[in-house]
Amino acid sequence: MLIGFVGKPSVGKSTFFKAATLAEVEIASYPFTTIKPNHGVGYVKVDCIDKEFNTQCNPNHGFCIHHKRFVPVDLMDVAGLVRGASEGKGLGNQFLDDLRQADVFVHLVDISGTTDIEGKMTEGHDPTEDVLMLEDELNKWYYNIFMKSWHVFSRQVEMTKSKFSEAVAKQFSGLKVNQDDVKEVLLKLKLPEKSTTWTEGEIMSFASTLRMISKPMIVAANKCDQGNAMENLEKLKKAYPTYLIVPCSADSELALRQAAKAGLIEYIPGEKDFKILKDLNDKQKEALNKIKENVLDKFEQGTGVQAILNMAVFDLLKYLAIFPASANKLGDSKGNILPDCFLLPPGSTALDFAYYLHTDFGKNFIKAVDAKTKIARGKDYLLKNRDALEIFTR
Ligand SMILES: Nc1nc2c(ncn2[C@@H]2O[C@H](COP(=O)(O)OP(=O)(O)OP(=O)(O)O)[C@@H](O)[C@H]2O)c(=O)[nH]1
Ligand SMILES: [Mg+2]
């Protein structure tokens, strides 16, 4: 699974990326600081099941602090997007192509109002305009991809009497569009059955709706620590009442994680507090106090960074965190306790989990046993978040 960060220039995409990954990336206050995409690993936070077993896990990947398990997810930070990007303006549409593989977008919006629509410094900018611009460009990007092959494609589908949703999913698999996405769009838009008769407007609304459904989006209302943030946050929520909008301060999260890495503080990503571990100088104290006062104490989700990654994976994509575990033995052959936690898509069954672990487990599946309750489950059992299962094979 891949989470892509999008937004106009200078909104803090790379800062968010760096806070989540601690990778060395360039951050600066001028537009187009990032040119080539940055790939890295961040984490979603799961209540670890080790607590229920009165033990401490040893993750193979990620880490666990105070029974909060941090499970790796792939992140991608791309160049800033400006009006006309889909037609090649700014850094063009090359980097839009990098976004094809994303499953979900985090749209970073600068709610401080201190950057204009192109990412240059200003005052009093209205961020609702940025949401409109970005979505418009993403829609046009999808539309252009569709138009490249639409006429030939739709004629072929009709001639061969192929199933439309299946054909679209196949033709546009590079965009990670699946059959269910297409069906949902058709149901919603009630377009004419013959796709060869669709007008340009109809193709555009098909492309836009498919974009919305195949790449769900959360708005990271960044720079909530600065400028007219509170006022603009309300404005955004009012303008987009159905959107998931979370206030965030990527800069604060970055400072906290760096201080924690240097051993100055103890900070668990996503928490609303930190503990000072070492003697700090006045500058350090002041910086941390400011973060506490202006961000952690003020916003429900702390800096928002961890909450946004979690919401993208668990609320939007509805993924499930599943632990391979046996009721009798929680360790692997090396004695590592609960070494793995995997993220599986919604609707996954016990059999899917078996195949996920190993093809042979899938082929020779007999049953799964819940390590918490010792209840046996058949192959069609629908997985639940934080399930712990052992697979039994022939
Ligand atoms: N006040 C404040 N400033 C921030 C925050 N996040 C990022 N910034 C600042 O915003 C500026 C731009 O940050 P970047 O992370 O480089 O922005 P970007 O979106 O990656 O920009 P491009 O790569 O040019 O598209 C930098 O000066 C950051 O320090 C935040 O939460 N609060
Ligand atoms: Mg950047």
Side-chain angles (χ1 to χ4, degrees), residues 2 13 38 64 79 132 150 180 221 248 251 281 291 294 296 333 339-340 347 349 387 392:
L2 177 64
K13 297 179 294 299
N38 296 308
C64 193
L132 206 65
W150 190 256
D180 288 341
C248 126
D251 205 30
N281 63 38
I291 293 176
N294 294 344
L296 298 180
S333 57
D340 293 308
T349 61
D387 262 347
F392 287 81

Side-chain angles (χ1 to χ4, degrees), residues 44-96:
V44 285
K45 187 179 180 183
V46 177
D47 284 327
C48 192
I49 60 164
D50 63 355
K51 199 172 179 186
E52 283 146 75
F53 290 99
N54 282 319
T55 181
Q56 173 58 57
C57 68
N58 319 99
N60 273 339
H61 304 284
F63 51 95
C64 193
I65 324 173
H66 299 321
H67 305 293
K68 299 289 179 199
R69 179 98 167 213
F70 288 82
V71 184
V73 285
D74 290 329
L75 308 179
M76 178 166 59
D77 161 41
V78 298
L81 196 150
V82 287
R83 191 170 274 147
S86 56
E87 262 75 56
K89 291 244 173 68
L91 289 182
N93 39 27
Q94 163 63 38
F95 76 89
L96 277 169

Side-chain angles (χ1 to χ4, degrees), residues 9-10 12-15 25-28 32-35 38 77-80:
S10 293
K13 297 179 294 299
S14 299
T15 310
V25 293
E26 238 182 293
I27 292 171
F32 301 121
T33 305
T34 307
I35 296 174
N38 296 308
D77 161 41
V78 298

Side-chain angles (χ1 to χ4, degrees), residues 286-353:
E286 197 192 316
L288 287 170
N289 273 339
K290 243 170 123 180
I291 293 176
K292 176 98 178 88
E293 253 172 55
N294 294 344
V295 181
L296 298 180
D297 288 346
K298 208 158 147 190
F299 296 95
E300 205 184 321
Q301 311 279 14
T303 71
V305 169
Q306 189 61 58
I308 287 163
L309 294 179
N310 267 51
M311 284 179 182
V313 171
F314 296 118
D315 296 346
L316 286 178
L317 295 178
K318 300 194 162 46
Y319 266 57
L320 308 159
I322 309 294
F323 297 79
S326 150
N328 308 316
K329 190 170 157 275
L330 293 175
D332 63 4
S333 57
K334 292 179 213 127
N336 290 324
I337 307 295
L338 295 168
D340 293 308
C341 173
F342 299 114
L343 297 171
L344 273 81
S348 296
T349 61
L351 186 64
D352 294 329
F353 180 48

Side-chain angles (χ1 to χ4, degrees), residues 349-367:
T349 61
L351 186 64
D352 294 329
F353 180 48
Y355 269 108
Y356 185 91
L357 295 175
H358 200 286
T359 319
D360 288 344
F361 283 5
K363 278 188 193 151
N364 301 315
F365 181 94
I366 298 176
K367 64 175 177 183

Side-chain angles (χ1 to χ4, degrees), residues 259 262-266 275-286 288:
L264 301 178
I265 61 169
E266 183 188 76
K275 213 180 343 179
I276 293 176
L277 300 177
K278 288 211 176 124
D279 262 348
L280 303 175
N281 63 38
D282 288 347
K283 215 173 136 201
Q284 289 169 325
K285 266 189 224 158
E286 197 192 316
L288 287 170

Side-chain angles (χ1 to χ4, degrees), residues 51-228:
K51 199 172 179 186
E52 283 146 75
F53 290 99
N54 282 319
T55 181
Q56 173 58 57
C57 68
N58 319 99
N60 273 339
H61 304 284
F63 51 95
C64 193
I65 324 173
H66 299 321
H67 305 293
K68 299 289 179 199
R69 179 98 167 213
F70 288 82
V71 184
V73 285
D74 290 329
L75 308 179
M76 178 166 59
D77 161 41
V78 298
L81 196 150
V82 287
R83 191 170 274 147
S86 56
E87 262 75 56
K89 291 244 173 68
L91 289 182
N93 39 27
Q94 163 63 38
F95 76 89
L96 277 169
D97 276 347
D98 299 325
L99 293 170
R100 283 172 185 248
Q101 282 303 312
D103 295 279
V104 61
F105 287 150
V106 174
H107 180 189
L108 277 107
V109 174
D110 176 351
I111 57 158
S112 69
T114 58
T115 46
D116 69 10
I117 194 91
E118 294 176 334
K120 294 190 199 110
M121 268 188 229
T122 187
E123 266 173 34
H125 178 72
D126 176 1
T128 57
E129 211 182 302
D130 303 352
V131 178
L132 206 65
M133 183 278 286
L134 186 110
E135 297 208 11
D136 199 35
E137 289 305 323
L138 292 180
N139 290 342
K140 285 183 184 151
W141 163 52
Y142 255 57
Y143 173 79
N144 289 342
I145 293 175
F146 277 67
M147 283 314 272
K148 266 188 201 150
S149 54
W150 190 256
H151 292 299
V152 175
F153 164 77
S154 56
R155 230 176 295 140
Q156 251 170 15
V157 173
E158 273 175 27
M159 263 159 46
T160 55
K161 296 209 167 29
S162 317
K163 225 171 118 195
F164 183 73
S165 54
E166 204 177 305
V168 173
K170 200 167 153 206
Q171 175 83 4
F172 303 101
S173 62
L175 281 168
K176 276 201 171 174
V177 168
N178 66 45
Q179 269 191 65
D180 288 341
D181 294 338
V182 182
K183 281 185 196 156
E184 201 179 325
V185 175
L186 294 177
L187 209 69
K188 206 167 170 177
L189 295 181
K190 300 190 175 62
L191 294 166
E193 200 170 321
K194 280 193 163 191
S195 55
T196 43
T197 67
W198 291 2
T199 61
E200 262 184 41
E202 282 168 333
I203 301 171
M204 183 73 199
S205 60
F206 176 76
S208 313
T209 315
L210 192 57
R211 189 274 303 167
M212 239 155 53
I213 288 171
S214 61
K215 307 236 185 273
M217 185 138 78
I218 179 168
V219 174
N222 196 36
K223 308 195 191 180
C224 69
D225 55 289
Q226 207 189 24
N228 304 335

